[in-house]
Amino acid sequence: MTTSVMLGDTMTVKCKIDAFPAPKLTIFRDKDLTEGVTENSRVSITAMADKDDRTQYSLTLKVKNVTIHDGSLYYCHANNSLGEKTAMMGITVKELPPPV
């Protein structure tokens, strides 16, 4: 999945996970899963369980005031005692063309 966002806008991407027992959810910026995304004044990460279905989870990454550096591949990683799974998400940051 690839998503485009304009420079300076807010980017929101979500991955949905089916798992039991409850997984640990993390977002990384590298396929080796060593460079985790951390929260700061521009970046928030929210993990939630579905209130009606205890096997449904979601992880949302929200980045305000997107910069060119935020464009990247992101890896949503879930793991529990039964295994692990990683999904890749691509983000492309587009700049406005110069005025004519």
Side-chain angles (χ1 to χ4, degrees):
M1 172 180 117
T2 300
T3 302
S4 294
V5 63
M6 296 302 292
L7 185 69
D9 282 354
T10 297
M11 166 185 85
T12 303
V13 292
K14 180 186 279 191
C15 50
K16 294 182 179 181
I17 300 97
D18 297 332
F20 184 83
K24 177 182 178 188
L25 305 172
T26 315
I27 293 184
F28 294 92
R29 290 201 59 168
D30 66 312
K31 67 181 178 179
D32 296 325
L33 309 179
T34 59
E35 187 183 339
V37 176
T38 55
E39 292 187 292
N40 59 44
S41 61
R42 289 188 324 111
V43 177
S44 64
I45 301 168
T46 307
M48 295 182 66
D50 186 296
K51 65 180 180 179
D52 298 322
D53 185 345
R54 298 304 233 169
T55 65
Q56 301 287 309
Y57 300 87
S58 65
L59 185 63
T60 304
L61 170 66
K62 184 175 182 178
V63 181
K64 299 176 188 174
N65 194 23
V66 171
T67 67
I68 292 295
H69 177 70
D70 295 318
S72 179
L73 292 177
Y74 290 85
Y75 298 85
C76 179
H77 184 73
N79 70 310
N80 63 17
S81 60
L82 299 178
E84 60 184 294
K85 185 77 174 178
T86 303
M88 183 177 69
M89 303 175 290
I91 304 299
T92 302
V93 178
K94 296 184 176 184
E95 294 185 68
L96 287 173
V100 179

